[in-house]
Amino acid sequence: MSALEKIGANRLIVKTAADLDKIDALIIPGGESTTVSRLLNIFGMTEPIRKRIKDGMPVWGTCAGMILLAKNVLGGEPCLGVMDVTVRRNAYGRQTESFKSSAVIPEISEAPVPLVFIRAPWVESVGGNVKILCEINGHIAAVRENNMLATAFHPELTSSTAALEYFLRRI
Ligand code: GLN
């Protein structure tokens, strides 16, 4: 939320299905995908979010958010199952294998973007309509399919606002 404030975006923390009527785009942040998925089901939000995404709402899943968007999840269960990707949970290993990196992601910015991976997933394979935006150490770390964007990293944890501004431009 503070990273979005920095770039002057109107923000709302979505806590109920009714909140979805108040937004034009959704960021599903990092966290623990099993927990978030369970809570989305308990609060009756899985189907309403899926419907908004199918209707074209721009959505961006970061890290656990990427797992929630994926149609196929290795080491876990699909939740929203809207994006034609196979994602491997905890692909880099345990918490101690978390790392920082940087990469030029042409669709986002000409300058290198700093990337933070926290017990991150990677994308193992993609369907025909999915564009690969970035690979790190030979593993896919950012993808886009129509209105859906997914990144394995946490752009909000760096001083760079490039990825957030990119998403805002797409709304
Ligand atoms: N390891 C978490 C999961 O599997 C994702 C971690 C994160 O979002 N930083 O859901």
Side-chain angles (χ1 to χ4, degrees), residues 30-34 62-64 67 89-90 118-121 154:
E32 194 56 44
S33 55
T34 47
T62 66
C63 205
I67 297 167
R89 282 186 71 212
N90 302 329
I118 302 173
R119 212 154 60 87
H154 286 262

Side-chain angles (χ1 to χ4, degrees), residues 103-114 160-163 165-166 169:
V104 174
I105 308 174
E107 195 157 317
I108 293 181
S109 152
E110 283 166 15
V113 181
S160 166
T161 54
E165 284 169 59
Y166 163 76
R169 280 199 303 276

Side-chain angles (χ1 to χ4, degrees), residues 66 92 115 117 122-123 134-136 139-143 150-153:
M66 169 192 255
Y92 294 94
L115 310 171
F117 293 80
W122 69 46
V123 178
C134 161
E135 289 189 29
I136 292 290
H139 299 295
I140 302 167
V143 282
T151 59
F153 48 83

Side-chain angles (χ1 to χ4, degrees), residues 14-20 26 39-51 80:
V14 173
K15 291 190 172 174
T16 65
D19 287 338
L20 291 170
L26 178 67
L39 289 169
L40 288 179
N41 287 331
I42 290 171
F43 284 85
M45 294 175 74
T46 309
E47 198 43 52
I49 292 177
R50 191 181 287 135
K51 184 173 182 316
L80 296 165

Side-chain angles (χ1 to χ4, degrees), residues 5-133:
E5 185 179 23
K6 238 197 305 189
I7 60 165
N10 285 329
R11 311 150 299 153
L12 175 78
I13 297 179
V14 173
K15 291 190 172 174
T16 65
D19 287 338
L20 291 170
D21 297 337
K22 304 172 195 157
I23 58 169
D24 299 312
L26 178 67
I27 295 177
I28 308 177
E32 194 56 44
S33 55
T34 47
T35 308
V36 179
S37 158
R38 204 172 128 74
L39 289 169
L40 288 179
N41 287 331
I42 290 171
F43 284 85
M45 294 175 74
T46 309
E47 198 43 52
I49 292 177
R50 191 181 287 135
K51 184 173 182 316
R52 281 295 306 270
I53 296 172
K54 293 264 181 209
D55 289 346
M57 174 181 67
V59 63
W60 177 13
T62 66
C63 205
M66 169 192 255
I67 297 167
L68 295 175
L69 290 175
K71 278 192 180 157
N72 305 299
V73 179
L74 304 172
E77 295 294 322
C79 174
L80 296 165
V82 285
M83 208 170 178
D84 195 8
V85 292
T86 297
V87 164
R88 182 177 292 280
R89 282 186 71 212
N90 302 329
Y92 294 94
R94 293 169 165 248
Q95 191 75 6
T96 47
E97 260 74 55
S98 299
F99 63 98
K100 288 183 188 165
S101 182
S102 76
V104 174
I105 308 174
E107 195 157 317
I108 293 181
S109 152
E110 283 166 15
V113 181
L115 310 171
V116 177
F117 293 80
I118 302 173
R119 212 154 60 87
W122 69 46
V123 178
E124 197 125 324
S125 61
V126 301
N129 287 327
V130 178
K131 183 170 183 199
I132 297 170
L133 303 184

